Amino acid sequence: MKRIASIAYRDFLNNIKNSIVLYMVAAPILLAFIISLFVPTAESSSAVFAVDQTIDSVVVDQILEYASVEYYHDIHALEDRVMAIDDVIGLTLSDGNYVILSQGNESSDLDRILRMILYQYHSDGSINNNPIVNVQFSNIGVEDSPVSVIGTISIIMMCIAIAGMIIGLNIVEEKESKTIRALNVTPMNKGEFIVGKSLVGCLISVVQVFIVMLIMGYHQFHWVMLLAFTIANLLIVILFGFLTGITSPNQMAAIANVKIMFLPISISIIGAIMIPGSQQFLLYWSPFYWTYLGYLDIIKQTATWLSLGYYALWILLITLLLFIALKRKINIKLN
């Protein structure tokens, strides 16, 4: 344990002097802060209501006294507008009943304003009188802004990838200072060396993940689930980090090589969003696909230990297969 702590402490001292590492530590947090500013901006504009052609012009005039109105030719166009990322709810008329369409993540003030307008218009002015028509509410989907959800998961996966980059840079540092060969004649075994070299990068990544979640406004998540799932995901980047470090002659080459990891990350995120559920088996080969699903459940607060265990099992299985395939090469390079 003392030898592991010694390696980790030496890496920590080297990392705080390395401007590249400091940039990698700050970049995801800064990006999360920028996105967190953008998402409220899109959702905090003045009150806007969308209506279709079923709404009488007199009702529209009444709404215009309190808010802006956008017109759409049919219910499908109206639903598409409501499903956009900004704060807009829709109003349509069906079988004599007003139907308010909401995505689920809009401000509750918009509902209250629209109900007040309808009640005032269809009553004699008394709040206690029953309205002439009934008002129904329809929730048509997503509870969180897609920009917020996908952006948060993308930044978290970047944080995990950064752990691999830091590990790779630390291995390159050992190669450049020619200390790996010296370590081979010490009592330290390869397991202690691997844990020691991985510790700093993994700790930084875990801290980044929690900070990003808090900056993006997700405060009600299960902390233990997030920690456990993040640790499971770090196993794959530890492998990538060591492979990058032993195959890269310098730090610039290590950064270039580890960027290859962002290709399967990008494919996994885009595929999970765009590919129909029945065809997502095409993404099972990527550990980052399972990473995306796990963090999506955590953010939506639908995660269970069983579901996260299932995703983590896939990640561990893929990591194990890659380790078996690369074990000999890693041992040769470390020796």
Side-chain angles (χ1 to χ4, degrees), residues 23-332:
Y23 169 78
M24 290 190 295
V25 172
I29 297 174
L30 179 60
L31 183 59
F33 180 73
I34 293 173
I35 293 179
S36 70
L37 294 177
F38 167 75
V39 172
T41 299
E43 297 175 353
S44 60
S45 57
S46 60
V48 178
F49 299 108
V51 302
D52 64 8
Q53 58 187 3
T54 64
I55 303 301
D56 189 85
S57 60
V58 180
V59 177
V60 173
D61 291 339
Q62 189 78 10
I63 296 175
L64 284 171
E65 295 182 13
Y66 300 90
S68 301
V69 175
E70 296 179 3
Y71 300 90
Y72 294 88
H73 55 85
D74 59 30
I75 184 63
H76 299 295
L78 182 65
E79 289 181 350
D80 289 341
R81 180 64 185 92
V82 173
M83 290 295 290
I85 66 173
D86 51 351
D87 216 1
V88 175
I89 61 176
L91 180 66
T92 186
L93 195 63
S94 176
D95 297 327
N97 294 326
Y98 285 115
V99 179
I100 298 177
L101 303 177
S102 68
Q103 186 178 8
N105 63 339
E106 297 88 349
S107 169
S108 59
D109 291 337
L110 292 178
D111 284 341
R112 286 195 291 268
I113 291 172
L114 190 52
R115 279 183 286 180
M116 179 193 71
I117 295 170
L118 294 174
Y119 287 157
Q120 285 184 343
Y121 179 74
H122 288 287
S123 68
D124 61 3
S126 173
I127 192 66
N128 296 318
N129 288 335
N130 294 324
I132 295 174
V133 297
N134 296 320
V135 178
Q136 300 176 348
F137 294 89
S138 174
N139 187 313
I140 60 175
V142 184
E143 296 180 357
D144 294 303
S145 165
V147 173
S148 178
V149 174
I150 298 172
T152 301
I153 297 174
S154 299
I155 297 173
I156 287 175
M157 294 174 75
M158 180 192 300
C159 294
I160 292 174
I162 284 173
M165 298 177 73
I166 294 175
I167 293 169
L169 292 176
N170 288 336
I171 296 294
V172 171
E173 175 70 22
E174 297 284 5
K175 289 170 57 178
E176 291 178 340
S177 61
K178 303 186 184 301
T179 56
I180 289 184
R181 291 184 179 180
L183 290 172
N184 286 330
V185 297
T186 67
M188 180 179 297
N189 57 49
K190 286 187 175 66
E192 291 174 329
F193 178 73
I194 291 172
V195 173
K197 300 305 292 184
S198 306
L199 197 56
V200 173
C202 291
L203 287 176
I204 290 174
S205 180
V206 169
V207 173
Q208 285 178 320
V209 168
F210 277 86
I211 291 176
V212 167
M213 288 287 285
L214 295 175
I215 290 176
M216 295 300 293
Y218 297 105
H219 303 143
Q220 305 300 320
F221 59 88
H222 195 298
W223 289 62
V224 179
M225 282 186 176
L226 180 64
L227 177 61
F229 191 66
T230 300
I231 292 173
N233 280 278
L234 287 172
L235 294 177
I236 188 69
V237 297
I238 289 173
L239 180 60
F240 273 108
F242 269 86
L243 184 63
T244 299
I246 63 178
T247 57
S248 302
N250 53 58
Q251 290 193 348
M252 290 297 102
I255 294 173
N257 290 336
V258 83
K259 286 181 179 178
I260 298 174
M261 186 164 48
F262 285 96
L263 179 60
I265 289 177
S266 301
I267 292 174
S268 300
I269 295 175
I270 296 172
I273 297 170
M274 303 298 296
I275 297 178
S278 60
Q279 300 177 18
Q280 290 198 0
F281 65 89
L282 298 172
L283 299 171
Y284 284 9
W285 58 270
S286 172
F288 302 108
Y289 167 73
W290 305 104
T291 299
Y292 177 87
L293 295 182
Y295 283 116
L296 182 63
D297 286 355
I298 291 173
I299 288 175
K300 289 186 173 181
Q301 300 183 38
T302 59
T304 64
W305 285 110
L306 183 61
S307 64
L308 292 183
Y310 177 72
Y311 302 146
L313 185 62
W314 271 99
I315 294 169
L316 295 176
L317 178 61
I318 297 170
T319 302
L320 180 61
L321 293 176
L322 287 173
F323 177 73
I324 292 173
L326 300 170
K327 180 180 178 181
R328 185 170 180 273
K329 184 174 183 177
I330 293 175
N331 279 331
I332 293 174

Side-chain angles (χ1 to χ4, degrees), residues 5-17:
S6 176
I7 292 178
Y9 180 68
R10 186 155 54 91
D11 284 344
F12 174 75
L13 293 179
N14 290 333
N15 289 335
I16 61 176
K17 298 175 184 178

